[in-house]
Amino acid sequence: MCGIVAAVSTRNIVPVLVQGLQRLEYRGYDSCGVAVHSDGLQRARSTSRVAELQHQVTAEKLEGSTGIAHTRWATHGAPALHNAHPHFSYGRGAHDAARPGRVALVHNGIIENHDELRARLQAKGYVFDSQTDTEVIVHLVDSLYDGDLFEALKATVAQLQGAYAIAAFCKDEPHRVVGARAGSPLILGVGTDKLENFLASDAMALAGVTDQIVYLEEGDLVDIQLGKYWVLDRHHKRVEREVKTVHAHSGAAELGPYRHYMQKEIFEQPRAIADTLQGVQGIVPELFGDGAYRVFKDIDAVLILACGTSYYSGCTAKYWLESIAKIPTQVEVASA
Ligand code: GLU
């Protein structure tokens, strides 16, 4: 599961973006990168650890007050530098001269109709330099851009099939980052200082930066600028989402005394289970959700098909469904 951090601010935001990526390292990744608005679009990418990216941005003196950053877990295209995010648009439209780097974009998820979109964009003169499904999004935003990045993203997501959390900015609008989510998580961090606002995959990425968090909902589009932001829901209606105070402590995402994140997870299991069970008022069917009684009464049996870790989750589900909901459940290894 990859990670996204993005910001608009009045200070150099690169250290915050890279630190945010460090706090998302626990999710796993194969490459990482950061892009900022700095006299055009500038970026640094690495197939090594975020610590290496940190050295790179310092050595290259990468600075900017608007930026996006990403840890990638490859789904389309090998884990390689040219496939690492952020991606830039590069257009050679029928009536334009070559137009490098107008839009920068990061994406978490999978675009199902990327082949069809790529063919259309190539016919328009867009030049692809990665094998990712993500690159179609950045060119599509560029192709629909007419001076308003938010409108371009709105028109873009209407053409996407699949799952995405997206953050993007444009050379022509230096103090604006836009985002969208469907099927992948994205939160908005409301800055408490310096007029700044943030987007991120989870609140942990912004620990120590802001605790004022808006959990975006499925289909939401978000526009962050200096000192202001707004959210549109899936019907493109402006909505006020609740701002929650979230006390994400950075220690939860840091490696601490452990050698790697898997070891940390193993040692944290007793605590995680205790936290999860806090507030549970007995083992009752309501644990399955508000509509559990209504749904369960029409179900005779459940068959779960799963592989690997999801198979083990399925076995836990079988235990719960049979012992609590009294529904006979069978779990099959889907790959067998
Ligand atoms: N599908 C995109 C890629 O392969 C994004 C993967 C991710 O979520 O990290 O680059």
Side-chain angles (χ1 to χ4, degrees):
M1 197 171 34
C2 86
I4 288 175
V5 195
V8 287
S9 177
T10 48
R11 57 172 163 160
N12 173 28
I13 206 67
V14 173
V16 171
L17 294 176
V18 175
Q19 190 181 52
L21 289 188
Q22 251 147 6
R23 296 195 170 135
L24 294 175
E25 277 191 300
Y26 74 93
R27 300 157 77 100
Y29 63 106
D30 54 56
S31 54
C32 50
V34 54
V36 287
H37 192 289
S38 161
D39 203 14
L41 309 184
Q42 308 290 337
R43 73 181 159 194
R45 297 184 288 179
S46 170
T47 49
S48 183
R49 313 308 296 163
V50 175
E52 164 56 32
L53 183 71
Q54 166 84 69
H55 289 135
Q56 211 175 311
V57 297
T58 308
E60 291 171 13
K61 297 193 172 48
L62 189 77
E63 289 187 2
S65 56
T66 296
I68 55 179
H70 187 261
T71 45
R72 175 177 189 238
W73 194 302
T75 63
H76 293 65
L81 205 57
H82 67 285
N83 286 330
H85 304 208
H87 289 287
F88 289 171
S89 63
Y90 188 90
R92 199 186 298 270
H95 308 292
D96 298 333
R99 219 170 3 84
R102 182 164 69 171
V103 179
L105 181 140
V106 290
H107 160 230
N108 167 208
I110 289 175
I111 302 305
E112 310 283 357
N113 58 336
H114 66 97
D115 277 338
E116 173 202 323
L117 292 172
R118 185 179 294 103
R120 265 181 21 214
L121 289 159
Q122 279 169 333
K124 283 188 179 165
Y126 281 92
V127 181
F128 283 74
D129 64 5
S130 82
Q131 281 82 48
T132 63
D133 50 342
T134 301
E135 204 184 348
V136 303
I137 316 176
V138 72
H139 295 317
L140 193 54
V141 174
D142 184 293
S143 73
L144 296 166
Y145 183 73
D146 189 16
D148 185 332
L149 188 62
F150 193 61
E151 289 302 318
L153 185 67
K154 213 196 295 182
T156 296
V157 298
Q159 298 189 40
L160 299 181
Q161 288 162 19
Y164 52 81
I166 294 168
F169 69 93
C170 177
K171 183 157 90 65
D172 301 345
E173 296 180 83
H175 305 295
R176 185 179 213 186
V177 171
V178 298
R181 69 151 293 197
S184 295
L186 193 66
I187 58 129
L188 159 65
V190 183
T192 49
D193 200 5
K194 301 181 183 64
L195 299 175
E196 54 196 22
N197 285 307
F198 304 88
L199 299 178
S201 296
D202 67 32
M204 200 74 79
L206 303 179
V209 181
T210 179
D211 60 1
Q212 298 300 293
I213 303 295
V214 174
Y215 289 92
L216 297 170
E217 294 184 13
E218 272 300 282
D220 277 358
L221 287 146
V222 58
D223 187 339
I224 60 170
Q225 302 186 26
L226 288 177
K228 58 183 176 185
Y229 68 84
W230 63 81
V231 179
L232 297 192
D233 69 9
R234 69 175 82 197
H235 307 296
H236 296 172
K237 202 168 112 291
R238 187 142 170 194
V239 280
E240 298 296 329
R241 298 262 179 254
E242 187 189 350
V243 182
K244 297 190 168 150
T245 302
V246 176
H247 300 293
H249 65 104
S250 56
E254 278 157 18
L255 201 49
Y258 304 105
R259 278 189 293 132
H260 44 71
Y261 281 100
M262 186 183 283
Q263 189 186 44
K264 180 174 156 83
E265 268 180 38
I266 291 167
F267 279 92
E268 285 180 347
Q269 278 176 9
R271 168 77 189 277
I273 291 170
D275 286 353
T276 309
L277 293 178
Q278 220 179 37
V280 170
Q281 314 285 344
I283 307 298
V284 289
E286 281 84 353
L287 281 176
F288 291 95
D290 291 343
Y293 270 120
R294 187 173 35 81
V295 175
F296 286 165
K297 78 177 170 32
D298 296 328
I299 294 177
D300 298 324
V302 173
L303 172 63
I304 298 173
L305 298 175
C307 310
T309 303
S310 59
Y311 174 79
Y312 298 124
S313 307
C315 292
T316 305
K318 171 182 164 69
Y319 179 63
W320 288 348
L321 286 166
E322 290 189 336
S323 60
I324 304 170
K326 312 286 181 221
I327 300 176
T329 301
Q330 198 181 330
V331 193
E332 295 291 344
V333 181
S335 54

